[in-house]
Amino acid sequence: MSAHASTSFDPRKHVGVLAERVTNVSSTDFPGYSPDEDFSWNLAKFKKRLRVQVKRLSSRSIEFDLIGVDASVANALRRILIAEVPAVAVEYVYVWNNTSVMVDEVFSHRLGLLPLNIDPALMEMKASATDTATDRNTIVFKLQVSCTRNAHAPKDSIDPKQLFINSEVLSSHLEWVPQGEQADVFPQLPASTNPNIVLMKLRPGQEIDMELHAIKGVGKDHAKFSAVATASYRLLPQIFLNPTKPVPPHLAEKFAGCFSPGVIRVDPRTKEISIDDEKLRTDSVSREVLRHPEFEGCVQLGRVRDHFIFHIESEGAYEPQRLLLESTRVMRQKIADLKKAAEALMAVNVDDEDVSMADA
Amino acid sequence: MKGAEADLSAATYQIFNETHTLGNALRWMIMKNPKVEFCGYSAPHPSENLIQLRIQMYDGLSSLTALLTALSDLDSLFESIEKAYEASLRDDTYVRWDEKS
């Protein structure tokens, strides 16, 4: 991080953050942009600058820094995470019986949104909506719940959970029905990642009996197939203090209060101001400091153009540390596909008319 | 597409089933080539699932070759990101914490 700590604003490296607008947004690292510099693609140079640092990891989320790439690359990874990394979700619901208060369609939609713990790599994608369901591309669940009165409920109870049995349909009520050789293929019992999701409430006499078919899909088809809960990045904030106009000692605490807690350190004795490089990444860049006329000229705000702080949350089958690799895998597959189509185009004789390659 | 030079020194390519995801990254990589005079892409209409990529070359060079080079380079870029990420997961010290779901 300290490799980035610069003392002054550089329009090449930084994006400026002003009170009501941002400056120097576009990258300018292209050949021909400035006369005596070579910006042409160089893998060795890129690798030297590239840094990926995992910062925080839990069972549900990961935070890492991706340094030295263009916004188009970081954005491609983010977009693929949301829309094109495959996931498994309930797609078909066959309702044999539903005497609950909820309409079939509404309940089916809810079932679709359930996060499942099935590793998409173990399944095949259906070629089309009319493709036959096989044990390779479909997971079957049974959902049979009926609500009855609890004969042993305490006399004066008014709590439905005590009065009735199965007063709530929970995600844990989904019962996997292995098809073909699935029982050997799936190491972990297919179920929802969270067993406590309330799907619907039932009262005595009401029951549901359904069969659910889960398939593999991608987020661009329906958000329920999105492999991530959230995937986002932000640029590393930068604060440039003006050495020629230091913050007056009596205003030091007020100055520090304009930033996120801990970002600005105030020397308890001299009231001198410094920036905590480790905490700097947590700054919200609220621009509060730019509202106060007494701090005018003391400070300049910016962000590092090629330092992306990624935050990815997973709610489904993927472990969070696996998601970025899935994203690059999808991207490289896209590149390979297009390359094949372009090579095929190279092989045919191109003249003025449109040429089309089926696989493109 | 129409508007291409016979020697492909300038041409527009229509790429089906692709979006800004590939379009912008590819445009950036093609622009990194000093032999490229111009490169731009557009997604003409949101209900058409395609992008159009325009490449114009200096010195009558082939834009198709530039496209192929850029694709290889982009692949090596993502490969090095993968490697750097895996190395960081393996070697770096990062905070592991317990998140309740």
Side-chain angles (χ1 to χ4, degrees), chain A residues 120-190:
Chain A
L122 298 174
M123 286 178 71
E124 283 171 7
M125 193 98 75
K126 267 192 165 188
S128 70
T130 52
D131 198 9
T132 327
T134 68
D135 61 340
R136 293 285 184 85
N137 62 23
T138 305
I139 302 272
V140 179
F141 292 100
K142 224 167 50 183
L143 182 58
Q144 288 175 317
V145 186
S146 68
C147 179
T148 49
R149 275 181 203 287
N150 180 7
H152 309 291
K155 274 242 150 53
D156 50 352
S157 171
I158 50 161
D159 179 8
K161 280 183 186 159
Q162 293 179 341
L163 285 173
F164 315 125
I165 295 164
N166 286 338
S167 66
E168 286 174 341
V169 181
L170 299 170
S171 53
S172 57
H173 283 129
L174 260 66
E175 195 187 321
W176 180 44
V177 187
Q179 308 290 309
E181 54 188 22
Q182 282 180 350
D184 303 325
V185 175
F186 291 96
Q188 184 186 14
L189 197 72

Side-chain angles (χ1 to χ4, degrees), chain B residues 10-77:
Chain B
T12 308
Y13 299 89
Q14 205 157 40
I15 307 169
F16 290 89
N17 298 324
E18 288 300 346
T19 55
H20 297 281
T21 306
L22 184 72
N24 196 17
L26 189 58
R27 186 225 66 193
W28 177 80
M29 184 53 96
I30 294 172
M31 283 175 77
K32 281 294 226 180
N33 183 342
K35 296 288 178 202
V36 171
E37 180 195 29
F38 170 85
C39 180
Y41 83 101
S42 72
H45 193 278
S47 67
E48 284 178 310
N49 195 11
L50 58 88
I51 54 168
Q52 292 172 348
L53 182 72
R54 174 78 179 172
I55 311 171
Q56 290 171 204
M57 304 293 293
Y58 287 121
D59 310 330
L61 290 165
S62 167
S63 60
L64 197 50
T65 319
L67 176 63
L68 283 167
T69 322
L71 284 168
S72 314
D73 290 344
L74 206 55
D75 191 61
S76 52
L77 184 154

Side-chain angles (χ1 to χ4, degrees), chain A residues 12 14-15 21 59 77 139 141 151-152 167 169 173 178-179 225 235 263 275 288 312 315 322 340 344 355:
Chain A
R12 286 267 180 85
H14 301 124
V15 175
R21 64 193 177 96
S59 58
L77 291 173
I139 302 272
F141 292 100
H152 309 291
S167 66
V169 181
H173 283 129
Q179 308 290 309
F225 290 121
L235 294 174
V263 173
I275 295 162
E288 171 71 12
I312 305 173
E315 194 56 69
R322 222 179 104 193
K340 227 162 94 187
V355 187

Side-chain angles (χ1 to χ4, degrees), chain A residues 25-278:
Chain A
V25 179
S26 309
S27 43
T28 57
D29 51 347
F30 298 111
Y33 201 88
S34 64
D36 46 332
E37 268 175 298
D38 176 29
F39 281 121
S40 59
W41 173 247
N42 182 329
L43 186 63
K45 225 193 237 177
F46 169 76
K47 276 186 178 163
K48 218 172 144 195
R49 175 99 182 103
L50 176 72
R51 275 200 294 155
V52 185
Q53 294 171 327
V54 180
K55 292 289 181 189
R56 282 164 71 79
L57 177 66
S58 81
S59 58
R60 287 189 60 233
S61 69
I62 186 168
E63 187 184 316
F64 63 90
D65 288 15
L66 180 61
I67 308 161
V69 303
D70 188 68
S72 62
V73 172
N75 196 36
L77 291 173
R78 182 195 63 86
R79 282 174 65 104
I80 291 173
L81 280 170
I82 294 168
E84 291 183 65
V85 175
V88 179
V90 173
E91 173 78 354
Y92 303 101
V93 179
Y94 300 95
V95 182
W96 311 132
N97 191 10
N98 176 13
T99 54
S100 74
V101 292
M102 195 180 286
V103 188
D104 295 355
E105 288 84 344
V106 175
F107 188 58
S108 301
H109 178 250
R110 279 194 185 184
L111 290 169
L113 299 176
L114 268 182
L116 302 176
N117 66 1
I118 305 157
D119 185 348
L122 298 174
M123 286 178 71
E124 283 171 7
M125 193 98 75
K126 267 192 165 188
S128 70
T130 52
D131 198 9
T132 327
T134 68
D135 61 340
R136 293 285 184 85
N137 62 23
T138 305
I139 302 272
V140 179
F141 292 100
K142 224 167 50 183
L143 182 58
Q144 288 175 317
V145 186
S146 68
C147 179
T148 49
R149 275 181 203 287
N150 180 7
H152 309 291
K155 274 242 150 53
D156 50 352
S157 171
I158 50 161
D159 179 8
K161 280 183 186 159
Q162 293 179 341
L163 285 173
F164 315 125
I165 295 164
N166 286 338
S167 66
E168 286 174 341
V169 181
L170 299 170
S171 53
S172 57
H173 283 129
L174 260 66
E175 195 187 321
W176 180 44
V177 187
Q179 308 290 309
E181 54 188 22
Q182 282 180 350
D184 303 325
V185 175
F186 291 96
Q188 184 186 14
L189 197 72
S192 174
T193 50
N194 185 337
N196 300 319
I197 302 171
V198 179
L199 293 165
M200 155 159 86
K201 298 205 169 185
L202 294 177
R203 285 297 174 265
Q206 297 177 348
E207 75 169 290
I208 54 165
D209 183 358
M210 299 173 178
E211 189 174 313
L212 325 177
H213 290 191
I215 61 165
K216 185 172 164 180
V218 288
K220 61 182 170 183
D221 175 41
H222 191 293
K224 71 184 174 188
F225 290 121
S226 192
V228 295
T230 64
S232 65
Y233 60 74
R234 39 191 230 107
L235 294 174
L236 177 74
Q238 290 276 276
I239 300 165
F240 307 105
L241 296 173
N242 184 354
T244 56
K245 195 185 169 198
V247 175
H250 69 283
L251 292 172
E253 293 295 342
K254 185 181 177 187
F255 183 83
C258 291
F259 296 90
S260 295
V263 173
I264 300 288
R265 280 185 304 227
V266 181
D267 190 304
R269 197 171 49 81
T270 59
K271 296 284 171 201
E272 207 176 341
I273 275 169
S274 60
I275 295 162
D276 187 327
D277 277 338
E278 285 297 315

